[in-house]
Amino acid sequence: MELILVTGRIVEQGRFVEDKISHEYENSVAAVFLDEEDMKVLGVSEGDRVKVRSEFGEVVVKVKRAKGRSPGICFMPLGPWANAVVRPDTHGSGMPDFKGIKVVVEKTGEEVTPLSRLVPKYLLPPRTEVEKVPGPEQVFTDVACPFCGCVCDDLVVHVVGNRVVKVERACVLGMSKFLNHYRNRILKPYKRQGDKFIEVPYEKIVDEVAEVLVNSKYPLLFGWSSSSNEALRIGVKLAEALGGVIDNTAVFCHGPTILAEQEVGVVTATLGQIKNRADLIIYWGCNPLAAHLRHGVRYTYLAQGFFIGGRKNRKVVVVDVRETEIAKVADLFIKVKPNKDLELLRALRAVVNELELEVPEVAGVPVEKVYELAELMISARFGVLFFGLGITMTRGKYWNIVEAIRLVQDLNKWTKFVLIPMRGHYNVTGTNAALCWLTGYPYAIEFAKGYPRHIPGLTTSTDILLRGDCDAVLVIASDPAAHMPKRAVESMSKVPLIVIDPKCSLTACMADYIIPSAIVGIECEGTAYRMDHVPIRMRKVVEPPPGIRPDHVILYDIYAKVMEKLRR
Ligand code: SF4
């Protein structure tokens, strides 16, 4: 059966993202969500296995019933199973197509595709729990959450000895990160030797890693979005010294947003202003009830602001290709055809600019609904457009965001309107901001010529990997093996791969060198930027395990060794 595939986040994937080797992660991510009508046509029930095939690959996953109604559209959670079938080409934008992909789904008796077939060179490094150290109970208030771009900084964290035992106010995703900080840890530096990982003293692995980087002609330093700006600052110096590329996870999330903002500017506000003033909240191509669970309560439709508050005083509109959880609580849900957001945005601009639409529908949306939405926007006292990967990852990519920004600019002729991208990793915004003030560019910065260059489609990590241009990769604070298309991951496996991460990620399972680090916001301090660019100090609530250093310390040691070798 032919269907259109959309990928995205779900709550379970977020809950188990800290241990991608676990059965829970596989159970939640190795799945395809089908509409009940499509399930009947395919003759499958929940739990049956199906093969999902696209022109880029195939994978076997379990069937789950989609909660909303979206016949003809299937959904897979972000992860290595979805990445096996997504379109890797970036069309010069740096962003692969993670949504709107034609797939064939058929019933199969085959087993779910194991991780070992999806992650090249798959080898599990020794991983363990941090040993419990007794101690008195301490309570930390105003702790910031190092999970999503909301960076909620009102948490109350209870610690006994070296363990977080209770977290107040966090959502299930933040809670899971705090309460499981000691699990799935790599506690020693390791190096791959044949079919096993061997332990290497810290000074020796730093020396070997520096040697690999110095000997490479075009190294890629990738990740950064779940680390501090202090670490990033050293990363930039390292990339410059090596003549390599520094890039972050924006390349497969809001890269197109940043390009568009640089092109046409942006009308924005802080989440505090939105909480206090916004009476119209639009979520376009995003589902905060899956990825940013406290967004509504803390900042938008359920928040109690100074001048406005509560659900009944604010209108909520959702625009998406399928009926998500947030669509069910909206006052108006607009179902747009996959890959047609650009058409709808342009139609809305036309109506806002008092032009007439002479067609019965636009992008699958009846024109009456387009007028209804335009009217809601114009008549709002303070409107906000939050948007997600539903429009950055689909056809049009950067142009979708250009039109969204221009729509908001047009709306400011009538009323106050702003827009904010829903950023995923807690410091992805900070990484892009800090890269801008350190190099002049927000991501995908190359130093091969001795000065920074930013050429989307050329210096973006997905394109570099797809072309096989780099000869060493350093991954820090991210897991590209779980989030990049399979072909890019395969390319990464062909060069020396260095991973700096507190936990055993899928990328660590294909690494040649692993250096464990402390968790920013739990085991060490650091600076992060919330999705609205507000800097927030991440606090330390427990001591890191013995011998485990923060990212910025590890990077500084590598940088010092690199400089020493370069001077020889
Ligand atoms: S909404 Fe995001 S930042 Fe806030 S508690 Fe949940 S995961 Fe943490």
Side-chain angles (χ1 to χ4, degrees):
M1 177 181 201
E2 276 196 14
L3 295 171
I4 297 292
L5 172 68
V6 173
T7 69
R9 292 197 176 92
I10 57 168
V11 175
E12 289 71 27
Q13 172 237 354
R15 269 183 67 205
F16 303 118
V17 79
E18 295 290 312
D19 185 1
K20 301 195 184 83
I21 318 298
S22 66
H23 293 299
E24 290 88 349
Y25 179 75
E26 180 178 316
N27 277 341
S28 53
V29 177
V32 61
F33 289 75
L34 297 171
D35 184 83
E36 57 191 37
E37 258 177 46
D38 296 336
M39 285 173 70
K40 272 189 210 146
V41 175
L42 277 164
V44 292
S45 319
E46 276 206 276
D48 284 351
R49 292 177 300 277
V50 288
K51 187 174 277 183
V52 181
R53 195 171 65 239
S54 73
E55 59 177 300
F56 314 103
E58 61 178 43
V59 75
V60 176
V61 290
K62 280 193 183 152
V63 172
K64 293 193 181 179
R65 188 185 303 275
K67 290 196 183 109
R69 296 302 321 277
S70 300
I73 294 179
C74 61
F75 174 87
M76 286 178 77
L78 287 176
W81 287 272
N83 293 341
V85 291
V86 298
R87 178 192 288 273
D89 320 339
T90 77
H91 314 287
S93 72
M95 166 71 84
D97 285 348
F98 285 100
K99 295 178 190 281
I101 306 139
K102 279 188 193 159
V103 291
V104 174
V105 178
E106 62 195 19
K107 193 173 178 181
T108 180
E110 291 177 36
E111 290 302 312
V112 168
T113 310
L115 272 178
S116 53
R117 274 194 31 217
L118 299 168
V119 179
K121 283 174 40 183
Y122 185 81
L123 179 63
L124 202 55
R127 60 190 195 125
T128 183
E129 286 190 359
V130 178
E131 215 172 297
K132 198 171 177 176
V133 177
E137 177 163 352
Q138 291 172 277
V139 180
F140 296 84
T141 54
D142 302 326
V143 176
C145 172
F147 192 92
C148 83
C150 289
V151 200
C152 301
D153 56 351
D154 60 343
L155 309 191
V156 180
V157 177
H158 298 247
V159 170
V160 173
N162 64 342
R163 288 224 174 142
V164 175
V165 293
K166 185 176 161 193
V167 186
E168 293 172 54
R169 300 199 183 131
C171 71
V172 61
L173 302 176
M175 187 118 37
S176 170
K177 177 143 187 182
F178 275 100
L179 294 178
N180 293 306
H181 70 97
Y182 61 92
R183 294 204 167 104
N184 187 34
R185 297 298 293 264
I186 299 176
L187 295 178
K188 301 281 180 204
Y190 288 104
K191 172 184 167 180
R192 183 184 288 252
Q193 201 165 70
D195 60 357
K196 60 179 191 296
F197 280 105
I198 57 161
E199 196 181 315
V200 183
Y202 177 75
E203 288 71 22
K204 189 164 186 307
I205 205 160
V206 165
D207 186 71
E208 288 193 25
V209 161
E211 189 69 23
V212 168
L213 292 173
V214 166
N215 288 332
S216 87
K217 288 196 173 63
Y218 198 66
L220 169 64
L221 314 185
F222 178 82
W224 311 101
S225 303
S226 289
S227 187
S228 64
N229 283 6
E230 289 80 356
L232 179 75
R233 180 185 279 272
I234 303 166
V236 171
K237 284 162 95 65
L238 186 59
E240 189 172 10
L242 294 166
V245 174
I246 186 161
D247 196 8
N248 87 319
T249 54
V251 77
F252 47 71
C253 62
H254 276 282
T257 303
I258 300 163
L259 296 183
E261 286 178 0
Q262 292 201 330
E263 180 93 8
V264 289
V266 63
V267 191
T268 193
T270 65
L271 292 171
Q273 286 169 299
I274 288 160
K275 169 185 172 176
N276 289 328
R277 296 181 183 277
D279 59 344
L280 174 64
I281 318 285
I282 301 177
Y283 287 113
W284 193 315
C286 57
N287 180 11
L289 292 181
H292 300 84
L293 301 187
R294 294 184 76 211
H295 197 261
V297 178
R298 228 168 113 71
Y299 307 115
T300 64
Y301 60 97
L302 296 173
Q304 202 57 48
F306 280 127
F307 307 112
I308 188 167
R311 179 68 184 87
K312 66 178 188 316
N313 297 317
R314 315 201 203 226
K315 285 251 178 308
V316 179
V317 176
V318 171
V319 185
D320 213 321
V321 296
R322 59 191 188 98
E323 194 188 0
T324 57
E325 291 88 339
I326 189 72
K328 291 191 183 142
V329 303
D331 299 288
L332 175 65
F333 170 48
I334 295 201
K335 192 169 171 182
V336 57
K337 276 189 183 163
N339 289 320
K340 301 281 183 191
D341 302 80
L342 188 62
E343 280 177 34
L344 184 56
L345 285 161
R346 286 193 169 153
L348 279 166
R349 282 194 69 203
V351 177
V352 166
N353 287 301
E354 299 179 90
L355 299 171
E356 210 170 305
L357 300 179
E358 294 171 347
V359 286
E361 61 156 52
V362 178
V365 181
V367 280
E368 304 79 58
K369 277 208 165 184
V370 181
Y371 281 107
E372 188 184 347
L373 176 53
E375 184 53 38
L376 273 176
M377 288 169 148
I378 288 168
S379 56
R381 284 187 17 229
F382 186 122
V384 54
L385 171 57
F386 288 103
F387 63 97
L389 308 188
I391 54 173
T392 63
M393 285 179 169
T394 47
R395 288 289 159 87
K397 293 175 182 168
Y398 145 89
W399 279 108
N400 295 338
I401 315 303
V402 166
E403 283 307 311
I405 295 173
R406 285 191 172 137
L407 170 63
V408 168
Q409 288 169 340
D410 292 344
L411 282 162
N412 275 280
K413 290 177 204 155
W414 299 89
T415 183
K416 173 76 183 162
F417 226 98
V418 298
L419 91 168
I420 294 191
M422 299 285 279
R423 307 302 303 267
H425 295 76
Y426 72 90
N427 194 29
V428 64
T429 305
T431 310
N432 296 134
L435 281 171
C436 265
W437 47 258
L438 287 167
T439 71
Y441 299 109
Y443 68 106
I445 301 130
E446 184 212 73
F447 290 94
K449 290 191 184 293
Y451 55 86
R453 298 198 309 162
H454 163 70
I455 311 171
L458 193 68
T459 60
T460 28
S461 48
T462 24
D463 297 283
I464 289 172
L465 287 167
L466 291 174
R467 289 194 306 267
D469 280 354
C470 60
D471 52 358
V473 180
L474 183 149
V475 171
I476 178 163
S478 74
D479 197 359
H483 298 296
M484 276 193 179
K486 195 164 172 238
R487 257 182 54 208
V489 176
E490 279 165 0
S491 169
M492 201 160 45
S493 73
K494 293 179 185 148
V495 298
L497 175 61
I498 302 146
V499 170
I500 302 174
D501 203 301
K503 298 231 171 179
C504 178
S505 65
L506 292 184
T507 313
C509 295
M510 54 185 279
D512 297 292
Y513 301 90
I514 305 173
I515 307 181
S517 59
I519 305 173
V520 179
I522 298 179
E523 295 170 347
C524 62
E525 293 191 335
T527 309
Y529 283 31
R530 207 167 63 181
M531 64 168 73
D532 56 350
H533 285 253
V534 171
I536 291 182
R537 190 72 187 153
M538 311 301 292
R539 296 185 64 184
K540 170 180 169 176
V541 292
V542 294
E543 285 301 323
I548 300 296
R549 298 157 175 85
D551 291 331
H552 68 273
V553 173
I554 298 167
L555 284 163
Y556 185 78
D557 290 343
I558 295 173
Y559 172 68
K561 214 26 128 184
V562 162
M563 293 311 286
E564 191 184 306
K565 287 175 189 285
L566 287 174
R567 277 195 288 265
R568 264 186 218 148

XYZ file of all heavy atoms in Angstrom, residues 513-562:
399
model
N 36.909 6.110 19.179
C 37.379 6.646 20.464
C 36.179 7.209 21.215
O 35.365 7.924 20.633
C 38.377 7.788 20.262
C 39.603 7.384 19.472
C 39.621 7.505 18.083
C 40.729 6.885 20.116
C 40.735 7.126 17.356
C 41.857 6.508 19.387
C 41.857 6.628 18.012
O 42.946 6.262 17.292
N 36.078 6.871 22.514
C 34.977 7.422 23.329
C 35.582 8.092 24.559
O 36.359 7.465 25.288
C 34.006 6.318 23.808
C 33.471 5.505 22.622
C 32.854 6.918 24.600
C 32.641 4.297 23.035
N 35.235 9.352 24.769
C 35.649 10.042 26.004
C 34.376 10.429 26.756
O 33.576 11.238 26.269
C 36.489 11.299 25.702
C 37.668 10.941 24.789
C 36.970 11.937 27.004
C 38.572 12.107 24.457
N 34.161 9.821 27.936
C 32.926 10.148 28.685
C 33.014 11.529 29.320
O 34.094 11.967 29.706
C 32.863 9.055 29.748
C 34.264 8.604 29.930
C 34.995 8.834 28.636
N 31.855 12.192 29.412
C 31.840 13.558 29.953
C 30.737 13.696 30.999
O 29.874 12.820 31.138
C 31.602 14.549 28.814
O 30.382 14.265 28.179
N 30.775 14.820 31.707
C 29.755 15.113 32.722
C 28.506 15.684 32.046
O 28.603 16.304 30.982
C 30.310 16.113 33.721
N 27.338 15.484 32.661
C 26.078 15.983 32.077
C 25.907 17.450 32.461
O 25.791 17.787 33.646
C 24.865 15.180 32.585
C 25.058 13.689 32.318
C 23.572 15.687 31.937
C 23.980 12.803 32.935
N 25.868 18.320 31.450
C 25.675 19.757 31.710
C 24.264 19.944 32.289
O 23.293 19.366 31.810
C 25.820 20.579 30.412
C 25.589 22.066 30.699
C 27.188 20.378 29.776
N 24.182 20.750 33.328
C 22.867 21.019 33.936
C 22.510 20.039 35.032
O 21.498 20.217 35.719
N 23.318 19.001 35.211
C 23.102 18.057 36.320
C 24.422 17.863 37.080
O 24.487 18.039 38.282
C 22.566 16.694 35.807
C 21.205 16.871 35.125
C 22.441 15.696 36.979
C 20.584 15.601 34.568
N 25.487 17.560 36.310
C 26.777 17.270 36.957
C 27.798 18.397 36.784
O 28.882 18.323 37.333
C 27.360 15.980 36.379
C 26.508 14.768 36.709
C 26.927 13.526 35.958
O 27.715 13.617 35.002
O 26.435 12.438 36.308
N 27.477 19.369 35.974
C 28.356 20.545 35.840
C 27.522 21.730 35.347
O 26.421 21.549 34.832
C 29.526 20.266 34.896
S 29.063 19.875 33.219
N 28.098 22.931 35.538
C 27.387 24.151 35.134
C 27.632 24.474 33.670
O 28.466 23.843 33.020
C 27.901 25.322 35.981
C 27.538 25.224 37.431
C 27.834 26.532 38.145
O 28.704 27.283 37.668
O 27.184 26.793 39.162
N 26.936 25.465 33.188
C 27.165 25.925 31.817
C 26.086 26.919 31.418
O 25.094 27.098 32.137
N 26.281 27.566 30.274
C 25.284 28.525 29.791
C 24.531 27.939 28.610
O 25.136 27.353 27.709
C 25.984 29.825 29.328
O 26.836 30.254 30.382
C 24.977 30.910 28.992
N 23.207 28.091 28.639
C 22.381 27.643 27.500
C 21.419 28.775 27.144
O 21.155 29.654 27.966
C 21.611 26.390 27.880
N 20.916 28.764 25.915
C 19.932 29.764 25.495
C 18.594 29.061 25.264
O 18.538 28.082 24.511
C 20.340 30.414 24.168
C 21.427 31.456 24.244
C 22.436 31.400 25.194
C 21.444 32.498 23.329
C 23.442 32.358 25.235
C 22.443 33.459 23.356
C 23.440 33.381 24.314
O 24.425 34.322 24.334
N 17.552 29.597 25.884
C 16.197 29.086 25.664
C 15.799 29.347 24.216
O 16.439 30.134 23.524
C 15.272 29.838 26.620
C 14.040 29.132 27.044
C 13.395 29.835 28.204
N 12.956 31.184 27.883
C 12.375 32.020 28.758
N 12.168 31.620 30.002
N 11.995 33.218 28.400
N 14.697 28.744 23.761
C 14.306 28.872 22.345
C 14.057 30.331 21.922
O 14.105 30.651 20.746
C 13.076 28.024 22.030
C 11.825 28.432 22.754
S 10.360 27.643 22.093
C 10.520 25.975 22.673
N 13.810 31.217 22.904
C 13.597 32.632 22.566
C 14.857 33.464 22.784
O 14.774 34.683 22.938
C 12.439 33.195 23.394
C 12.656 33.010 24.897
O 13.591 32.285 25.269
O 11.910 33.589 25.699
N 16.023 32.781 22.831
C 17.326 33.454 22.943
C 17.601 34.042 24.318
O 18.472 34.902 24.446
C 17.499 34.530 21.867
C 17.779 33.958 20.512
N 19.005 34.005 19.909
C 16.983 33.292 19.658
C 18.961 33.407 18.744
N 17.731 32.952 18.567
N 16.857 33.659 25.330
C 17.149 34.137 26.691
C 18.222 33.215 27.288
O 18.009 32.004 27.375
C 15.870 34.128 27.568
C 16.216 34.413 29.028
C 14.878 35.145 27.042
N 19.397 33.768 27.674
C 20.446 32.918 28.255
C 20.058 32.454 29.651
O 19.514 33.233 30.429
C 21.681 33.828 28.328
C 21.310 35.090 27.637
C 19.822 35.172 27.579
N 20.318 31.197 29.940
C 19.962 30.629 31.244
C 21.174 29.863 31.776
O 21.833 29.131 31.033
C 18.733 29.706 31.122
C 17.515 30.577 30.814
C 18.504 28.878 32.389
C 16.210 29.878 30.702
N 21.454 30.070 33.048
C 22.576 29.377 33.672
C 22.119 27.978 34.098
O 21.164 27.842 34.869
C 23.043 30.180 34.887
C 24.343 29.708 35.486
C 25.511 30.051 34.606
N 26.735 29.452 35.120
C 27.759 29.137 34.335
N 27.708 29.345 33.035
N 28.846 28.607 34.844
N 22.786 26.967 33.579
C 22.458 25.597 33.949
C 23.211 25.274 35.248
O 24.398 25.595 35.364
C 22.886 24.610 32.852
C 22.455 24.996 31.448
S 20.675 25.178 31.246
C 20.109 23.497 31.425
N 22.520 24.651 36.193
C 23.148 24.433 37.500
C 23.702 23.027 37.643
O 23.315 22.111 36.925
C 22.109 24.674 38.598
C 21.634 26.106 38.618
C 20.711 26.360 39.769
N 21.395 26.199 41.051
C 20.789 26.297 42.211
N 19.503 26.540 42.269
N 21.458 26.143 43.333
N 24.602 22.890 38.610
C 25.135 21.561 38.948
C 24.428 21.105 40.214
O 24.375 21.862 41.186
C 26.635 21.693 39.185
C 27.308 20.490 39.775
C 28.800 20.786 39.938
C 29.469 19.721 40.769
N 30.914 19.937 40.847
N 23.855 19.892 40.208
C 23.158 19.424 41.413
C 23.819 18.186 42.034
O 23.578 17.877 43.191
C 21.652 19.159 41.135
C 20.912 20.446 40.855
C 21.446 18.153 40.006
N 24.616 17.465 41.238
C 25.380 16.338 41.814
C 26.810 16.389 41.291
O 27.078 16.986 40.242
C 24.774 14.945 41.464
C 23.427 14.741 42.097
C 24.717 14.722 39.959
N 27.700 15.739 42.012
C 29.093 15.635 41.546
C 29.146 14.650 40.377
O 28.433 13.644 40.374
C 29.986 15.089 42.675
C 30.304 16.086 43.771
C 31.012 17.338 43.256
O 31.851 17.210 42.342
O 30.714 18.434 43.762
N 29.984 14.904 39.377
C 30.125 13.895 38.325
C 30.835 12.653 38.872
O 31.512 12.750 39.903
C 30.981 14.610 37.274
C 31.660 15.716 37.990
C 30.802 16.082 39.159
N 30.695 11.512 38.199
C 31.409 10.317 38.663
C 32.924 10.567 38.667
O 33.410 11.415 37.911
C 31.032 9.252 37.612
C 29.818 9.783 36.931
C 29.896 11.265 36.998
N 33.667 9.832 39.488
C 35.115 10.065 39.589
C 35.796 9.982 38.211
O 35.518 9.076 37.427
C 35.599 8.927 40.505
C 34.382 8.463 41.226
C 33.207 8.749 40.374
N 36.655 10.947 37.943
C 37.428 10.931 36.692
C 36.673 11.473 35.480
O 37.219 11.543 34.386
N 35.408 11.865 35.669
C 34.604 12.352 34.531
C 34.654 13.880 34.508
O 34.350 14.538 35.493
C 33.141 11.863 34.651
C 33.094 10.333 34.665
C 32.288 12.439 33.523
C 33.574 9.652 33.411
N 35.054 14.414 33.357
C 35.251 15.874 33.228
C 34.135 16.506 32.400
O 33.545 15.846 31.533
C 36.588 16.135 32.533
C 37.789 15.621 33.310
C 38.954 15.382 32.382
N 40.172 15.000 33.098
C 40.465 13.756 33.468
N 39.637 12.757 33.201
N 41.591 13.481 34.109
N 33.914 17.811 32.587
C 32.933 18.513 31.735
C 33.461 18.618 30.297
O 34.675 18.566 30.065
C 32.834 19.904 32.362
C 33.468 19.800 33.703
C 34.446 18.683 33.654
N 32.535 18.831 29.349
C 32.907 18.932 27.934
C 33.996 19.968 27.697
O 34.940 19.740 26.941
C 31.681 19.341 27.089
C 30.639 18.239 27.021
O 31.015 17.063 27.108
O 29.446 18.578 26.894
N 33.845 21.149 28.338
C 34.806 22.213 28.027
C 36.216 21.870 28.485
O 37.189 22.279 27.864
C 34.335 23.575 28.579
C 34.326 23.682 30.066
N 33.272 23.290 30.833
C 35.261 24.152 30.919
C 33.541 23.512 32.102
N 34.751 24.036 32.182
N 36.323 21.079 29.540
C 37.654 20.676 30.019
C 38.270 19.678 29.023
O 39.434 19.805 28.617
C 37.552 20.068 31.437
C 38.883 19.485 31.869
C 37.061 21.121 32.418
N 37.464 18.706 28.602
C 37.966 17.697 27.647
C 38.403 18.387 26.353
O 39.480 18.126 25.811
C 36.873 16.640 27.356
C 36.502 15.890 28.641
C 37.316 15.672 26.261
C 35.239 15.064 28.537
N 37.556 19.284 25.867
C 37.877 19.969 24.601
C 39.126 20.827 24.752
O 39.955 20.896 23.846
C 36.693 20.844 24.173
C 35.532 20.054 23.595
C 34.278 20.909 23.594
C 35.826 19.562 22.188
N 39.268 21.449 25.915
C 40.455 22.280 26.099
C 41.711 21.403 26.090
O 42.725 21.760 25.479
C 40.371 23.100 27.397
C 41.559 24.023 27.459
C 41.572 25.190 26.704
C 42.701 23.672 28.178
C 42.694 26.002 26.676
C 43.828 24.481 28.158
C 43.813 25.644 27.403
O 44.932 26.433 27.365
N 41.632 20.226 26.730
C 42.797 19.322 26.749
C 43.144 18.873 25.325
O 44.317 18.806 24.953
C 42.493 18.102 27.633
C 42.425 18.485 29.114
O 42.918 19.587 29.458
O 41.867 17.712 29.913
N 42.109 18.562 24.530
C 42.371 18.149 23.136
C 42.967 19.324 22.357
O 43.939 19.171 21.611
C 41.065 17.643 22.462
C 40.572 16.367 23.151
C 41.286 17.398 20.967
C 39.206 15.890 22.675
N 42.384 20.497 22.567
C 42.855 21.687 21.838
C 44.327 21.976 22.180
O 45.148 22.236 21.280
C 41.974 22.884 22.214
C 42.466 24.194 21.684
C 42.442 24.466 20.312
C 42.976 25.167 22.541
C 42.912 25.680 19.818
C 43.447 26.378 22.055
C 43.409 26.628 20.698
O 43.880 27.813 20.208
N 44.672 21.886 23.477
C 46.054 22.163 23.885
C 47.003 21.163 23.228
O 48.085 21.527 22.754
C 46.153 22.090 25.413
N 46.592 19.904 23.188
C 47.436 18.858 22.572
C 47.562 19.096 21.068
O 48.641 18.924 20.483
C 46.759 17.518 22.856
C 47.569 16.295 23.091
C 48.908 16.437 23.600
C 49.241 15.635 24.820
N 50.568 15.874 25.346
N 46.464 19.484 20.437
C 46.487 19.764 18.993
C 47.473 20.902 18.708
O 48.306 20.823 17.798
C 45.063 20.113 18.481
C 45.111 20.821 17.135
C 44.217 18.857 18.378
